[in-house]
Amino acid sequence: MSARTTRFHLLTAIIFISVGLLSGCEQGPESCPKYTDVELVNPKSYQGNDQLPFQFPLENAESYTQPILYNFGSCRQVTERRRECHSAEDYIGEPGTPVYAFADGEISFSGPMGGYGWLIIIDHPQANLYSLYGHLSPSRWEAKRGPVEKGELIGYLGDADENGGSPEQPLIPHLHFGIRTGQRIKYPGSGEWRWMAGWIAICPQDAGWLQPSLVISNQHIPEGGFTMPVGNFFAIWWFPLVFGGIYIFSWMCLLVYTRKREKPHLLVSFGALCIVAAWLLFTKHSLLSIVLFGLSAASIPLGLYRLIKRAK
Ligand SMILES: [Zn+2]
């Protein structure tokens, strides 16, 4: 292998590995603005009423008067260098407690997700919101993708060892319930702009999260729906833009290089590497996987075509 080829392989490997390593590491705020404490006497009053757009995802009234494991916007020190704030409300409940859709919508994600155990996301285009239900039970899960009505059963709270906790490190059974402006697909980013973000290094309302109990008790959808925070285009999209750009640029360099040096097999190996990376990113629900699948779909046939042509 020539020194040039080795350098190329090394550069490609560095680009691929760095994708996995980059994530937000800024220090979070000391505290976030105080939110109104919502005293909810009877959450059931929001249920079964077709006139109202929203309802609570759990039935248990006590969950709301003594609600919350972590309140919306409460911050904690995670490591010496990182503070994080909670982007949702946590409602404590027994394992197996039914969880209901908070509004009409479309389930855009239902699946296992790291520290969440089972996670469900529902998009609500009529209000320009999405809602997030974390720490559900993988063993009793209910909802798949597709349309769902307000109040429909979507899942159950998970046991302490399957809700994102483990037998060694059990997690108190609770619902992590978040509401965010925009739709899930509008948050492709990493760090604070992850669509499934639960703890972030900025105040949650700066990333579009709303206080769930306040949204529900207000029962009000602004004209045209809730608006996403403005001016954060790059904060949201930098990850797929920068890395998508790097991938496409490397690919174009590779095209020129393999053509000049007549090394089409490099195109095939690049395509194969792309498939592996694309699959890994796909399992992380990153939009970058689309770019990588596209590049492999272009590289492998082209490389093979040139190899066959050369062999003739
Ligand atoms: Zn939580």
Side-chain angles (χ1 to χ4, degrees), residues 86 90 174 176:
H86 195 228
D90 286 348
H174 70 280
H176 172 100

Side-chain angles (χ1 to χ4, degrees), residues 14-23 239 243 247 281 284:
I14 288 169
I15 291 171
F16 275 84
I17 290 166
S18 59
V19 170
L21 296 180
L22 267 168
S23 62
F239 193 79
F243 281 94
Y247 285 136
L281 288 169
K284 305 251 177 251

Side-chain angles (χ1 to χ4, degrees), residues 84-107:
E84 290 179 334
C85 305
H86 195 228
S87 59
E89 283 173 348
D90 286 348
Y91 305 137
I92 296 171
E94 290 294 313
T97 301
V99 178
Y100 306 100
F102 120 99
D104 294 344
E106 178 96 15
I107 295 179

